Amino acid sequence: QALIADCSACGCPDGMICSGSTCTAPLHSFSMDVELPPSFYTTSSSPVIVTLTNTGTFAASGFFLMRVDAYDAQHLLLKSVPQQLSLDDLSVSGIHSITIPVQLPALSKQLSVRLFQSTIEKPESQFIGETTPVSVSVQSDSTPPTAPSSLSYSAVSPGYTLSWNASPSSDVSAY
């Protein structure tokens, strides 16, 4: 799609804005809220819920990159969890939520979310904004779950069938 050389004279196509005398894709404007679980565990992923609100003056469409960044006490980046996001006509004041599973390193003390956008003219990601860093608590779970009980087996040709009562522990993910 070719850009119109002088959009002040003839207007810009849909989804473009006039910047000086050039039609360009606008960068979007959002507010971001982050909802965290009460604590994170080093052994499992926890959901980070990010809610975007379109604070711009036009509907938001396009491809975005959201990064959940974990920092240590000296604000050194420990881990970055990227998540692609596609918006299709998110209306002005419209809200979009996304859940990102995150497993944080044990030394994590702060977390922030950064948002980037790519445009036709500038395919490299452009920084849109980030949340204020939020303190996080990362727990190490070193207590093993309770063992299953009443283990029994029976011979079934050509092998065996096992049965048991499941562990009452809530942190057992699979057998």
Side-chain angles (χ1 to χ4, degrees), residues 36-103:
L36 302 176
S39 57
F40 289 87
Y41 292 91
T42 56
T43 55
S44 62
S45 292
S46 298
V48 172
I49 301 169
V50 181
T51 302
L52 291 173
T53 303
N54 183 357
T55 58
T57 57
F58 51 90
S61 294
F63 294 102
F64 299 86
L65 173 68
M66 188 174 287
R67 283 190 1 211
V68 177
D69 294 334
Y71 299 92
D72 67 7
Q74 288 74 38
H75 202 68
L76 296 173
L77 181 64
L78 297 174
K79 184 173 186 177
S80 186
V81 179
Q83 178 71 49
Q84 289 183 322
L85 173 64
S86 175
L87 294 177
D88 185 27
D89 271 348
L90 181 63
S91 63
V92 173
S93 300
I95 296 172
H96 180 83
S97 292
I98 183 169
T99 301
I100 304 170
V102 176
Q103 186 172 355

